[in-house]
């Protein structure tokens, strides 16, 4: 099942790409961050040659406005705007799992005035050949948010625990229907469960449709998604989370077992994180400027609280450390896909 699922991954994504391209090229909703007071424009000379922006900045979010990836990006962009000398404008460029927006950023002038929100799912898209670009085609700036993915079932499900879920899956091959979105981190996590437990799910591709209604309507038995995307359903008593891909207990979800506790190893490539990239050739000074800007945001208590309330963590790292992290994630994801194909 693992090999079959991965083998059809690229072809399914190409089908999705056809429909998503038209969506992404129609309207890129643009929302400018508001500011309470006019900002003073600091010149580069005033900062002894250190790079600072002298005009407004475009923050590309390659997903639809209002989605699980867009909301935390807008929060961080708003706080970046607070500490920045210029206005930061969020521009949505949705379509093809974020690839349309990425391609537009690749073509942008590398002058330091375009930055992009990066999902961890792109590493899988590259590993499976769905995306023809990787972190090496951009200037990697920093990680700005970390979160987790979790396995959820309907609150009315007979599976009260992770162990119940796996026991049922072992009774009969393809007995449990699991929703998936091709080319994303969650589907790789679902395959990791199959590999770890020696089970086979009946994988159903959600396509571009909403996931939660499928579980609420009983059309699937379970699916994996970002905690930020399912948090309200868990807290509202509609979903039950059986496991979270994490090493340590997740704040607010201490009663849910982590994959570390469940015996998983080498699953760092399944930890959800969001990063910031810029067009290849962007000045080093600009990269360092934005990394420091994110550091200030990550240390802002109000930003920390706002992200935490949605199931996200505020974080930052140096451009050097982040570049190394990107390589580690890409290598780990590629290795994991190869192992699954070899099953």
């Amino acid at each position: 099942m693992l090999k079959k699922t991965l083998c059809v991954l690229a072809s399914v994504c190409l089908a999705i790409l056809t429909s998503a391209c038209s969506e992404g090229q129609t309207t890129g909703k643009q929302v400018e961050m508001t500011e309470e007071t006019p900002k003073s424009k600091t010149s580069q000379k005033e900062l002894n040659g250190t790079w600072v922006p002298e005009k407004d900045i475009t923050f590309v979010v390659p997903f639809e406005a209002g989605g699980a990836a867009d909301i935390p990006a807008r929060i961080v962009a708003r706080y970046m705007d607070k500490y920045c000398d210029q206005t930061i404008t969020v521009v949505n460029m949705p379509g093809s799992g974020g690839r349309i927006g990425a391609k537009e950023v690749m073509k942008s002038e590398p002058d330091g005035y375009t930055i992009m929100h990066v999902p961890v799912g792109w590493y899988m898209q590259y590993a499976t050949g769905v995306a023809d670009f990787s972190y090496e085609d951009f200037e990697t700036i920093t990680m700005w948010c970390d979160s987790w993915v979790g396995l959820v079932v309907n609150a009315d499900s007979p599976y009260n625990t992770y162990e119940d879920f796996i026991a049922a899956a072992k009774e009969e091959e393809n007995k449990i229907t699991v929703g998936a979105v091709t080319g994303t981190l969650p589907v790789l996590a679902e395959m990791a469960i199959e590999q770890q437990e020696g089970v086979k799910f009946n994988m159903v591709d959600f396509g571009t449709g909403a996931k939660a209604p499928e579980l609420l309507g009983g059309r699937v038995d379970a699916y994996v998604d970002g905690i930020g995307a399912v948090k309200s359903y868990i807290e509202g008593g509609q979903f039950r989370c059986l496991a979270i891909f994490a090493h340590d207990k997740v704040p607010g979800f201490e009663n849910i077992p982590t994959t570390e506790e469940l015996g998983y190893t080498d699953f760092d490539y399944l930890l959800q994180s969001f990063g910031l990239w810029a067009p290849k050739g962007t000045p080093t000074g600009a990269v360092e400027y934005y990394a420091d800007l994110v550091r200030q945001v990550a240390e802002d208590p109000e930003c920390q609280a706002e992200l935490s309330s949605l199931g996200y963590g505020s974080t930052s790292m140096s451009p050097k450390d982040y570049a190394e992290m990107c390589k580690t994630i890409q290598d780990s994801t590629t290795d994991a896909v190869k192992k699954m194909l070899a099953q």
Side-chain angles (χ1 to χ4, degrees):
M1 175 63 71
L2 292 175
K3 185 170 183 179
K4 180 180 178 181
T5 303
L6 283 169
C7 286
V8 302
L9 191 59
S11 60
V12 174
C13 281
L14 288 175
I16 296 174
L17 173 62
T18 304
S19 60
C21 282
S22 59
E23 172 192 355
Q25 293 172 340
T26 52
T27 57
K29 185 176 180 181
Q30 180 170 313
V31 179
E32 185 172 318
M33 299 293 102
T34 59
E35 51 188 350
E36 296 179 358
T37 57
K39 296 181 180 179
S40 60
K41 295 186 177 181
T42 307
S43 70
Q44 293 184 19
K45 291 182 180 180
E46 289 178 296
L47 292 182
N48 300 318
T50 301
W51 191 95
V52 293
E54 296 183 329
K55 62 180 183 180
D56 292 349
I57 300 150
T58 298
F59 188 140
V60 174
V61 176
F63 303 97
E64 293 182 356
D70 176 73
I71 293 174
R74 286 182 178 275
I75 292 173
V76 168
R78 173 157 42 85
Y79 282 95
M80 288 175 67
D81 191 70
K82 172 182 174 181
Y83 293 103
C84 185
D85 291 308
Q86 303 295 334
T87 299
I88 294 180
T89 301
V90 173
V91 178
N92 291 90
M93 294 184 181
S96 302
R99 296 188 297 281
I100 287 179
K103 291 289 189 178
E104 289 300 315
V105 171
M106 288 176 71
K107 295 185 294 185
S108 298
E109 186 71 24
D111 54 7
Y113 294 97
T114 301
I115 55 178
M116 177 179 65
H117 161 48
V118 178
V120 72
W122 278 350
Y123 298 101
M124 179 186 176
Q125 292 187 26
Y126 180 75
T128 56
V130 174
D132 59 357
F133 59 84
S134 74
Y135 71 94
E136 295 180 293
D137 296 303
F138 297 85
E139 298 297 339
T140 54
I141 300 173
T142 188
M143 176 177 166
W144 57 265
C145 178
D146 56 15
S147 185
W148 312 267
V149 295
L151 173 67
V152 293
V153 296
N154 195 304
D156 295 331
S157 168
Y159 315 125
N160 292 309
T161 66
Y162 176 84
E163 289 76 12
D164 291 342
F165 181 79
I166 296 302
K170 288 183 175 181
E171 288 178 359
E172 182 181 344
E173 186 175 305
N174 297 325
K175 174 181 179 179
I176 294 180
T177 300
V178 175
V181 177
T182 305
T184 64
L185 178 69
V187 74
L188 194 58
E190 291 165 355
M191 294 177 186
I193 295 174
E194 288 186 318
Q195 185 180 45
Q196 172 75 16
E197 304 294 352
V199 298
K200 294 181 181 179
F201 300 132
N202 175 28
M203 294 281 210
V204 175
D205 198 323
F206 285 134
T208 58
K211 307 172 189 176
E214 297 299 307
L215 184 55
L216 290 170
R219 288 178 287 278
V220 296
D221 298 310
Y223 70 90
V224 171
D225 206 355
I227 290 299
V230 296
K231 184 175 184 288
S232 62
Y233 294 100
I234 297 171
E235 294 178 340
Q238 297 162 293
F239 287 177
R240 182 183 303 120
C241 187
L242 302 182
I244 296 178
F245 280 82
H247 291 288
D248 304 312
K249 287 294 189 181
V250 175
F253 298 97
E254 289 84 359
N255 63 320
I256 300 173
T258 66
T259 44
E260 177 93 2
E261 295 173 317
L262 294 169
Y264 285 68
T265 59
D266 301 324
F267 60 88
D268 282 357
Y269 67 98
L270 296 173
L271 302 179
Q272 189 178 50
S273 64
F274 295 144
L276 205 62
W277 295 355
K280 194 71 173 179
T282 295
T284 300
V287 170
E288 294 173 347
Y289 174 87
Y290 290 118
D292 186 66
L293 197 62
V294 171
R295 178 192 60 77
Q296 296 176 68
V297 169
E299 295 173 355
D300 189 307
E302 293 182 358
C303 181
Q304 293 173 359
E306 196 166 347
L307 286 173
S308 179
S309 69
L310 297 174
Y312 300 99
S314 182
T315 188
S316 68
M317 60 176 55
S318 71
K320 179 178 182 296
D321 289 344
Y322 180 59
E324 292 174 355
M325 175 183 172
C326 289
K327 183 180 186 306
T328 298
I329 295 175
Q330 188 63 74
D331 291 347
S332 298
T333 303
T334 300
D335 288 345
V337 169
K338 287 180 178 178
K339 288 178 182 178
M340 290 177 182
L341 283 172
Q343 293 292 312

